Amino acid sequence: MTVVKSTLPEEALGVTGTALQDTLVDLLGLSLIGKQAHWNIVGPRFRSIHLQLDEVVATARGHSDTVAERASALGVPPDGRPETIAATFALPGTKDGWLRDTEVVELMVSALGTAVDRLRERIDATEKADPVTQDLLITVTADLEKQRWMFQAENQPRDDASS
């Protein structure tokens, strides 16, 4: 079997490989949270949040592919198997059954916030180990922060006095 050889020194590869694998798990899990909420949301803001969840899922899935391919390019086989995700996933998840639109907004703000916090730790860890991977993680973080902001904006109380 041919093994892809990394251009990184062994220690840097360990740090980078861990950062990429953990990010892959977070992104795949985030896409599953998004779809679960997408299928089960109910409430007056159903349509807008339903569509917004599709954006989160597309973002997470797109970045998961890029993250996995970066790992492969460095000689680290990415592991996106369901059992790996189930065993190592650490973001807040959905409850069973129907979800009120307000619950979905709170869930997504929390899950995206946790993902961003974890990514920021990986950004710090990869600064010297692999600036190329760090740059990728910065891009992922920016996109997830944008999604979190959009859900936070959904969660603001309505100001009926100005209507």
Side-chain angles (χ1 to χ4, degrees):
M1 171 186 289
T2 304
V3 177
V4 176
K5 299 291 181 185
S6 178
T7 56
L8 296 177
E10 197 63 34
E11 185 177 335
L13 181 61
V15 169
T16 302
T18 298
L20 289 166
Q21 179 59 40
D22 291 348
T23 301
L24 178 62
V25 168
D26 284 356
L27 289 168
L28 291 173
L30 191 57
S31 73
L32 293 171
I33 290 170
K35 270 303 178 188
Q36 185 67 21
H38 173 88
W39 296 322
N40 289 287
I41 186 172
V42 295
R45 295 182 295 165
F46 164 82
R47 178 92 173 129
S48 64
I49 296 171
H50 182 80
L51 295 173
Q52 192 174 347
L53 288 164
D54 277 338
E55 291 178 25
V56 171
V57 171
T59 297
R61 287 180 178 170
H63 282 309
S64 67
D65 191 51
T66 303
V67 165
E69 288 176 353
R70 176 69 185 154
S72 292
L74 293 174
V76 177
D79 188 353
R81 296 172 298 154
E83 57 270 24
T84 300
I85 306 308
T88 60
F89 185 67
L91 300 182
T94 64
K95 66 177 189 172
D96 188 27
W98 302 114
L99 300 166
R100 295 288 313 163
D101 51 3
T102 54
E103 291 176 299
V104 171
V105 169
E106 289 173 11
L107 168 67
M108 294 312 296
V109 168
S110 178
L112 288 160
T114 301
V116 165
D117 290 344
R118 291 167 54 87
L119 275 160
R120 288 189 175 280
E121 292 171 6
R122 295 176 201 134
I123 288 167
D124 289 343
T126 55
E127 180 179 12
K128 288 192 178 7
D130 184 24
V132 175
T133 295
Q134 182 193 44
D135 185 57
L136 171 60
L137 298 178
I138 289 168
T139 299
V140 173
T141 302
D143 286 348
L144 295 186
E145 282 180 329
K146 178 181 176 184
Q147 291 296 328
R148 183 173 183 269
W149 157 61
M150 290 182 176
F151 277 102
Q152 276 186 309
E154 285 278 351
N155 210 22
Q156 298 307 305
R158 185 174 170 181
D159 183 7
D160 289 328
S162 66
S163 299

